[in-house]
Amino acid sequence: MLQFSDNPPLSLYVHLPWCVEKCPYCDFNSHGLKGRELPETDYVDALLRDLEPELPLIWGRPIETVFLGGGTPSLFSPEALDRLMSGLRALLDLRFTRELTLEVNPGTDMASRLAEYRAIGFNRVSIGVQSFDDRSLERLGRIHDRRAAWRTIEAAHDAGLDSFNIDLMHGLPGQTEADGLADIETAITLEPPHLSWYQLTIEPNTAFAFSPPALPPEATLDRIGEAGQARLVDAGYSHYEISAFARPGHECEHNLNYWRFGDYLGLGAGAHGKITLPAENRVERRVRSRHPNQYLERAGTAANIEAHDIPRRELPFEFMLNALRLTDGFPVSLFQERTGMPIAVASKTLRGLEEDGLIEWDIRDIRPTERGHRFLNDVLARFLPDD
């Protein structure tokens, strides 16, 4: 039987699934508008209906962070987002929410909107830059150029946001080592408090999967990755998660809750949620209808939600899948707090990883070594339950 001492921290994720155009590398649940009108009024109504079945699961629990992702949430007007946030505040305890993030795209004229988002209550934005090279942006199917990205980052500083992130990719089609490091240097010049820097991968069921571009050779990818990480650390950014770098005090609290296996509500088309129910000794996954049209029809009904318990034997893998992404790892006590099981259930695997030099383990903390982070997929595979 699982034994939980308390509820984990609780976050809220809201998925807004539309984009102007779907990028060829993107495997998220996003849908290009293709000239159609954005159904923002109907969708905000659906999101608020969608929340109602969740309320009995989380009575009395404050929401610590909120993240509006997509898609391109910044396609929604400030008026629609204000109405959404007003509705969420009426139903949820957001009094102590520390971080409220909105994903934005430089291609949707953000420079004029960021101050309005700040007035609504968003204190953090995440800007999908991907590259500062116009040729790379074109190859990635992005609808903005270098100048639009630059202007949006400057506007984020001017808007008085508490923090903001920029997303950058490396290993892009035709990219050289010099190109990849030039993106890093430009980013450092613009002084974002937080930077997500990750390698482009070709995901199934994307346009790139059906028509793969020519990517740099493995040796070039390794050099870009290692040199870029070193440059960011040298510039004062903490490499606190595999693909996340932050100035002191600007780590993404919402993502940290995921990585520490906290709880989260998921609203919107295809959104996932995880809720711990200590009194019932179980952890439940909840998934919404994926297609926006289906979601609009079903929101607020039982047909919109698929729910299942995470099996006990899968909980160690689910926990490690998140927690070992963190450079500093996790306190040993956190494992039992979040899985309801003693660390002893994973001790054989942990000892083997320690002997192989992939983790470090002392009385208080478990953390991946540099080698363990580099081969994290191999590390995580050791925690998969036997069939």
Side-chain angles (χ1 to χ4, degrees):
M1 185 173 71
L2 304 180
Q3 293 184 331
F4 298 96
S5 58
D6 203 356
N7 287 314
L10 179 63
S11 294
L12 170 66
Y13 174 77
V14 182
H15 192 70
L16 290 81
W18 289 280
C19 296
V20 175
E21 296 177 12
K22 188 172 178 71
C23 297
Y25 59 84
C26 179
D27 69 335
F28 295 156
N29 184 28
S30 58
H31 302 263
L33 284 170
K34 298 178 182 177
R36 293 171 296 172
E37 185 177 352
L38 181 69
E40 61 176 20
T41 298
D42 289 344
Y43 196 72
V44 169
D45 290 342
L47 289 169
L48 297 176
R49 290 198 309 274
D50 190 19
L51 176 57
E52 292 176 8
E54 305 298 280
L55 296 177
L57 298 173
I58 52 97
W59 286 128
R61 296 179 64 180
I63 303 294
E64 302 204 1
T65 65
V66 177
F67 195 106
L68 273 61
T72 306
S74 55
L75 288 177
F76 280 64
S77 68
E79 293 76 18
L81 294 176
D82 190 22
R83 188 166 74 88
L84 172 61
M85 292 309 306
S86 294
L88 294 176
R89 290 187 180 99
L91 295 169
L92 297 170
D93 184 357
L94 301 186
R95 292 174 299 167
F96 307 107
T97 302
R98 300 187 304 276
E99 182 183 87
L100 209 166
T101 302
L102 179 72
E103 283 188 344
V104 304
N105 186 335
T108 50
D109 192 26
M110 281 303 95
S112 62
R113 283 194 172 185
L114 289 176
E116 292 180 84
Y117 294 144
R118 183 71 182 93
I120 293 168
F122 294 100
N123 58 11
R124 186 176 186 273
V125 296
S126 184
I127 306 168
V129 173
Q130 313 312 347
S131 177
F132 291 102
D133 179 76
D134 284 338
R135 292 171 303 171
S136 292
L137 290 169
E138 184 176 355
R139 291 168 186 155
L140 290 173
R142 302 297 289 175
I143 62 172
H144 70 273
D145 60 14
R146 168 191 174 94
R147 292 179 60 191
W150 193 290
R151 287 197 305 269
T152 302
I153 294 168
E154 289 181 333
H157 282 295
D158 295 341
L161 293 157
D162 295 346
S163 191
F164 66 88
N165 168 68
I166 67 170
D167 281 342
L168 278 183
M169 281 187 185
H170 61 92
L172 308 182
Q175 189 177 59
T176 66
E177 183 177 356
D179 294 334
L181 296 181
D183 272 349
I184 289 293
E185 292 299 335
T186 301
I188 290 170
T189 298
L190 291 167
E191 299 184 321
H194 189 284
L195 192 147
S196 298
W197 193 54
Y198 50 95
Q199 183 176 312
L200 171 65
T201 55
I202 306 301
E203 302 291 350
N205 301 315
T206 63
F208 273 179
F210 291 105
S211 181
L215 300 181
E218 198 69 33
T220 301
L221 296 176
D222 289 344
R223 288 196 302 271
I224 294 173
E226 292 172 8
Q229 289 178 13
R231 180 67 185 97
L232 286 166
V233 171
D234 183 62
Y237 289 87
S238 170
H239 185 193
Y240 73 100
E241 187 267 347
I242 282 183
S243 59
F245 300 77
R247 299 286 191 192
H250 290 279
E251 296 82 2
C252 178
E253 294 191 47
H254 186 85
N255 286 345
L256 281 172
N257 190 42
Y258 290 150
W259 296 324
R260 291 169 178 157
F261 209 50
D263 281 357
Y264 50 97
L265 297 176
L267 303 180
H272 290 237
K274 167 191 168 282
I275 300 294
T276 303
L277 300 164
E280 301 175 24
N281 298 306
R282 63 190 184 93
V283 182
E284 185 176 273
R285 293 278 190 201
R286 299 170 69 80
V287 185
R288 268 44 191 179
S289 300
R290 181 175 176 84
H291 194 278
N293 291 342
Q294 191 178 63
Y295 177 82
L296 285 165
E297 293 172 3
R298 294 180 175 181
T301 71
N304 188 47
I305 301 170
E306 291 185 13
H308 69 273
D309 289 358
I310 302 177
R312 186 181 190 277
R313 67 192 190 98
E314 295 178 10
L315 280 168
F317 171 74
E318 292 271 356
F319 177 90
M320 298 298 178
L321 179 67
N322 293 279
L324 287 177
R325 293 180 64 91
L326 295 167
T327 303
D328 292 337
F330 59 92
V332 173
S333 60
L334 190 70
F335 181 85
Q336 180 156 354
E337 290 175 18
R338 300 294 158 85
T339 67
M341 296 186 291
I343 194 67
V345 302
S347 60
K348 181 178 178 181
T349 301
L350 290 167
R351 292 296 180 202
L353 291 168
E354 186 178 33
E355 290 170 5
D356 293 342
L358 296 169
I359 67 164
E360 296 173 346
W361 184 8
D362 58 36
I363 194 170
R364 291 182 301 179
D365 299 299
I366 296 170
R367 67 188 66 81
T369 62
E370 184 176 340
R371 181 166 175 262
H373 243 176
R374 186 168 186 174
F375 297 101
L376 184 61
N377 287 340
D378 297 326
V379 171
L380 296 173
R382 305 253 198 122
F383 292 98
L384 286 169
D386 296 330
D387 293 336

